[in-house]
Amino acid sequence: MIVRQVLSRLLQALPTLVGVAVLVFVLVRVVPGDPIAMMIAPGASPDDIARLRGLYGLDRSIPEQFAIWAGRALAGDFGTSISLRQSVMSLVLARLPSTLELAVFATVIAIALGTALAVFGVRHRGRLGEAATDAATGFALSVPDFIWALLLMLVFGVLAPLLPISGRLDPSVDPGFVTRFYLVEALLRGRVAVAGDLVAHLLLPALALALPLAAMIGRVLKSSLAEEMLQDYVMLARVKGFSRWRIILGEALRNAAIPAVSLTGVQFTFLVGGTVLIEKIFSFPGIGNLAIDAVINRDLPLIQGLILVFALMFIVINLGLDLVYAALNPRLRHG
Amino acid sequence: MTVLDIAGLSAALHGGRPVLRDVSLVIGEGEVHGLVGMSGAGKSMVARAVLGILPAAVRLTAGAIRFQGRDLVGLDERGYRRLLGRDIALIPQDPLSALNPSRRIEAQMTDVMRLHLGLSARAARDRALVLLNEVRIRDPEAVLRRYPHELSGGMRQRVLIAISFACEPRLIIADEPTTALDVTVQQQILVMIRGLQRRHGTAILFVTHDLGVVAKVCGRMSVMHEGMVLEQGAVADIMAAPGHAFTRALFAATPRYDRPVEALAPVPAAVLADIAAAAQAFDAGRPC
Amino acid sequence: MVRAGMFRLLANWRVALGGFVVLVFVVAALGAGWFSPADPLEQDLMLQLEAPSAQHLLGTDSLGRDILSRLIHGARVALAVALVAGILTALLGTALGLAAGYLGGWPDMLISRAVDIWSSFPPVLLSVILVALLGTGLHSVIVAIVVIDWTRFARVMRAETLKQRHMDYVDAAVVGGLKPGAILLREILPNVLPLFVVLLTLEMGIAVIVEAILSFVGLSLSSDVPTWGGMIAEGRQVIYQAPWIIALPMAALLALVLGLNLLGDGLKAELDPVLR
Amino acid sequence: MLIDARGIRLSLPDRGRPGTLFRPAPPIEILRGVDFQVAAGEAVGIVGESGSGKTTLGRVLIRLLQPTAGTLTFAGQDITSCGEGVLRPLRPRMQMIFQNPLSSLNPRRRVRDIVAAPLLAAGIPDDGTRVTTALSRAGLGRAFEERYPHQLSGGQRQRVGIARAIVTEPAFILADEIVSGLDVSTQAQILTLLRDLAREMGLALAFIAHDLSVVRVLCDRVAVMLQGRIVEDGPCGEIFENPRHPYTRRLIRAIPLPEIDDGWLDNPEAMEEA
């Protein structure tokens, strides 16, 4: 049942993936700037330029280029980065783990914080506590991750220098890890000091990503939770003699989460998209940072590869959300 | 013996507008008392006051609600939690929204027994099966495994009735329990409630807008409007000879398939005006 | 009637406060040449990274330029982008959302699929690519915002139109003999209009942010036009020596965005006839 | 016959089981061959329990839905599967009153505009007198013309719905559960109003209801529906006094009349297991 659902969803995502690939391919190919001109020393002969164009396949027609690129991509070869002169695949694989750790860390913060806000707001309904949570979520929602990043950097990095504001790990620390999932590996190996330094570096960028999402989750979940609290089954639970906490957490929260998951779904993809800018601001060595440099350098193979990676992440997120939605909602599982 | 004794109960919104005016009614052991009126008459407010779940904007201003001799007015939440579910239970109006859509029937039936009777999961399940048999559900084992959306409206209402009788309460509040149901299902549910009530000797406060339902299942009745009880007495007496003009008007406004078309008439404005004047006089005489 | 309506709107503190903040920026932008104490481009290499003083009310940046003047001139870019990009985005997205929601069938399929594909791009990356493609300049920033953000309107408007379409009053209009065009324009459109106004103010805030992000990355306008994003990027370089240089344009950006959001929130409550 | 429906069938996709990419949702048959007629000036009730198909039948009669099989004529003209363009000239003569008065009135339009909409669509010129007349026939004064639907009570909203339905002086009105959400007193007002209007204007009515007593007050004839079929159809007097179909008998016996009847609770049919 679940397997079939996943397969069916993946199949439906295929046209989206193809559409993204075609669109990006065409888009970057009509960029006026010539990538070759940017990578060679001034004074190179026209012959040299022509040779390089041939090397990267830029002298062919766009459909031809696409066919060649797509054929290789299917075999796992996304070409070579023009500006960094390394295989796109190895560049992405080297940087992806840090972005994933950042995104997952931010998501966990956002869900925990958002749920806490929603439950607190509903528990203190009609009192000062509710007004305070409403104001907090309203403010956090109006401020985008870009400004949160700068604010956090300014406050916790400069005015009260508590946390590092650039990089992933202190340059003096050499963990000597085998994988690139530093935080996961540090935790598994019990390297507390390294894990602590990683978390310290992660905290500000993750918070910048998490706060708008947390506010969104908080607001949506609070309103759906408040609506659930008006349902007759909640009244019946009260009349059965259960405590308010037990009713909120044991009866209403799960049902309230169902609309909240579908309403906040888009925001999760915004979080992943947000890593592009946040990594740039915090000089965090992930694929987002790589992507902005790639665009500024007109590094076509790298741009294509990275955008496909992002599209794939979005598809996986949406699939995950669908599964969570189905798991929460018995109506979709049975009958 | 008296199970419920509501004496001189008044309630008002925070702004001061009264919603209940000097409501008194007594329910003896094993008695079914019908509380009838139009929407906004205050009948649900009485039910909620007994259950201690008045809306946040409503406050009791006078009177007592004595349950088995003990006044519930001013009882704290903890005290109510010990009482509700065990000694006082509710049959709700809407069988669709009164069951939690994401919990199986078994969990929703057994939780109240485990809380109040201290039963083990197994013992509670066994008792749930007995109760489902009592409400004449054919395959109780299967129903326990189901989610609410997999049951019909009538089945859900049977489950809710089983839940209300789970801890052998002395008093059940039935809040329009058949309003959302089709007429044939309504008959089944009413027959069932009446049967269980007789066997268990439970007292019921039966809130409804339907005079027909009162006639079929209640022994005594109160007619309410504008938060006041206008007439009270044995159902047989009131059906035979309604004493209050409003009660007579209510009968005349209820369409019947066995009466000529011309017999139907809305409640006359004069009757409503008289009641409004009485309400005003009450409010003036006793400022809140 | 109209005057009474205006009074009621202003009685809502969100509308009043948000509107006031936005108005301050509009006035500053319109009278930039007049309000600025100095030429925003004039460098004074003797006065680099000056703290606020009587001569330079908000201090100077790393090239000795007056920060207050640069902020006021930056507001022009921010507001121009907010207005033009916001409205264009709203119109495009709303038209497509209404079409998808009301027509259903293949137009809906097509538009929804396009929204799906669009949502699979990181928006910041897409805008950076677009500006790189179109070349820097105000018009390319605006085009980039429209191309990226139309999906926000399309998605919400489609859902709302679909909801309205299933209301009984639409059936009543069909039974009343109204033509599809009349039903869409006279019956459905007035009901989705409040949502449009609210989204529009929110979208203006988003446009301001996107412009700042693009200038921050160095892709918005040429470096001789002062922009808040550009000032933030410059401030980032000297954040330890002179934190106010990054803080001031951030504060301006934050104030304008919060003002727009507040206005939108207030309008949402005021424009709903049932809530009001 | 004003409305003549023969052998009407209708299948709709099952909304409870959304289809997948490979397997579209299986259709379920909601109407399974319905014959139904309304003569000019006649009031016919359609009763049945939830899921019987009575609301769907109504929507077919007024051609908000197109039947999958059968024929439907209005005043002799075949309208089984014609497009909205052909229907539009007929719309002024066939109108509808909805169950939920709030959702059937556009919240952004004033009462006057709501009532005037069918006139405007039909190109019937009006200086305001037709709207005023329709509203006053429905029991609402001129003061209501400027109001919005949310400023009205439930009964007043339903009166606006009635005024909109009669403003084009139609020959036929479909009324779908129009009193189910109202108090008994308001219900009695609306029922007597509609009964008087029908007599006065010579209206034909199809009156859908779950409550047989309500139908009895208003209708000359009643059709009883069960699972997409009409199981019994006849004059009210006959059906209520001498029901032939077992389902009709059971439906009538299940109604709790406001009078003492000790046998009602002992009805063996009510003791069934579920």
Side-chain angles (χ1 to χ4, degrees), chain B residues 89-164:
Chain B
L90 170 76
I91 305 177
Q93 170 171 12
D94 181 3
L96 183 59
S97 77
L99 288 168
N100 189 331
S102 64
R103 295 177 76 211
R104 290 179 198 275
I105 300 300
E106 175 167 355
Q108 304 193 53
M109 286 194 72
T110 54
D111 59 3
V112 65
M113 297 186 258
R114 300 184 66 181
L115 179 71
H116 292 296
L117 306 179
L119 295 184
S120 68
R122 217 206 152 85
R125 185 186 150 84
D126 288 344
R127 175 147 174 74
L129 289 173
V130 171
L131 287 161
L132 288 180
N133 265 318
E134 272 206 81
V135 293
R136 289 203 288 273
I137 281 178
R138 201 173 285 145
D139 189 357
E141 296 266 358
V143 167
L144 283 185
R145 285 193 298 271
R146 296 263 161 81
Y147 286 96
H149 72 272
E150 298 169 307
L151 304 178
S152 69
M155 288 279 267
R156 286 186 211 126
Q157 197 55 290
R158 285 174 196 233
V159 168
L160 286 165
I161 291 167
I163 291 174
S164 72

Side-chain angles (χ1 to χ4, degrees), chain C residues 1 164 167-180 186-188 190-192 194 271-274 276, chain D residues 59 62 64 84 88 91 94-96 98-100 103-110 117-118 120-122 148 150 164:
Chain C
M1 286 302 279
Q164 297 291 338
M167 301 280 276
D168 280 345
Y169 75 80
V170 174
D171 279 339
V174 173
V175 173
L178 267 73
K179 294 186 179 135
R186 282 221 296 267
E187 303 283 335
I188 294 183
N191 281 293
V192 298
L271 291 177
D272 190 328
V274 186
R276 161 176 102 193
Chain D
R59 296 198 157 229
I62 204 81
L64 279 171
E84 198 55 44
R88 217 167 283 131
R91 289 294 185 201
M94 49 199 282
Q95 285 291 319
M96 176 168 179
F98 291 79
Q99 168 170 15
N100 183 344
S103 95
S104 67
L105 303 178
N106 192 334
R108 301 239 155 227
R109 312 198 75 192
R110 291 176 198 278
L120 219 63
Y148 286 99
H150 67 272
R164 170 174 61 189

Side-chain angles (χ1 to χ4, degrees), chain A residues 233 239-240 244 251 255 330, chain B residues 84-85 97 100 102-103 108 116:
Chain A
Y233 73 82
V239 169
K240 278 175 173 175
R244 278 175 198 254
E251 299 267 351
N255 295 315
Chain B
L84 296 177
S97 77
N100 189 331
S102 64
R103 295 177 76 211
Q108 304 193 53
H116 292 296

Side-chain angles (χ1 to χ4, degrees), chain A residues 175 177 181-192 194-196 198:
Chain A
F177 285 166
F181 290 96
Y182 284 177
L183 185 56
V184 177
E185 192 167 340
L187 290 173
L188 287 178
R189 285 172 187 251
R191 301 271 296 273
V192 179
V194 179
L198 283 164

Side-chain angles (χ1 to χ4, degrees), chain C residues 87-104:
Chain C
I87 290 176
L88 289 180
T89 310
L91 290 180
L92 178 68
T94 302
L96 290 172
L98 276 175
Y102 187 70
L103 297 175

